[in-house]
Amino acid sequence: MESSGGGKREEEDVGSYNSNNVKKARLHSTLTALLDDPILADVPKEPTLSDVDTLINLELGSAMRISVIKLDSTSFDVAVLNSATVKDLKLAIKKKINDMEQSKMGHRHISWKHVWANFCLSYYNDKLINDGSALQDFGIHNNSQVLALFFLGFVKFILDCIGSSTCLQFSDFEALLFLLEGMTQFEQGLF
């Protein structure tokens, strides 16, 4: 008698397991269909609670969408809270680019320390260098455009080399070629 009771229990477990798999499959197909809807195009393919929270705040007006314009004149949008700092914007950019790179090429390591050492963000004439500064202090609001630029130190170094006889002995033409070549290399990569 015990063995028949155990067999019945196994059947219930298998039935329960199959039922759970069917429910998960339905949920997954429903979520996939929802995420493919053009209305939800700004929702990441694998959204975190933070992503969903930011998008809800965007709809409620307590977050802002910012366009980041890259060196090659293409752009992408990120969403951050209205109280966001420069660091929050950088983290949103990092997440967006990592997601885009993952969907295009699979896993690719990007040295963000190197990126932020060589590039800065700019809003009109203001360089967004201090990570603790609030974006609103620069006048950044919903639908603003932020530019990704070569870090000022790199450009200043090149410009100093053009006019100096002691700095690497560049001629004006060689220095400009060096600058343009560096910009082209970075344009082909991340920015």
Side-chain angles (χ1 to χ4, degrees), residues 42 69 77 79 82 88 95 103 120 150 156-158 178:
D42 55 351
I69 302 173
D77 292 342
N82 287 342
D88 297 327
K95 182 172 183 358
S103 68
C120 70
F150 269 108
K156 184 178 182 313
F157 170 77
I158 296 300
F178 179 74

Side-chain angles (χ1 to χ4, degrees), residues 72-85:
D72 63 358
S73 298
T74 61
S75 66
F76 59 89
D77 292 342
V78 294
V80 293
L81 296 175
N82 287 342
S83 59
T85 63

Side-chain angles (χ1 to χ4, degrees), residues 41-77:
D42 55 351
V43 177
K45 290 295 180 192
E46 294 180 23
T48 63
L49 182 58
S50 175
D51 294 332
V52 174
D53 189 41
T54 301
L55 290 172
I56 290 170
N57 283 316
L58 186 62
E59 293 299 318
L60 296 174
S62 54
M64 54 186 154
R65 183 178 315 280
I66 298 173
S67 292
V68 179
I69 302 173
K70 302 188 310 180
L71 290 175
D72 63 358
S73 298
T74 61
S75 66
F76 59 89
D77 292 342

Side-chain angles (χ1 to χ4, degrees), residues 1-41:
M1 292 260 172
E2 281 185 348
S3 63
S4 67
K8 187 175 183 181
R9 182 179 217 167
E10 282 181 20
E11 289 176 19
E12 287 176 6
D13 288 345
V14 170
S16 171
Y17 176 78
N18 287 337
S19 175
N20 284 338
N21 279 346
V22 169
K23 288 178 184 176
K24 285 181 182 178
R26 279 190 203 146
L27 176 62
H28 182 64
S29 67
T30 303
L31 284 174
T32 301
L34 281 172
L35 291 175
D36 287 339
D37 188 320
I39 294 174
L40 298 175

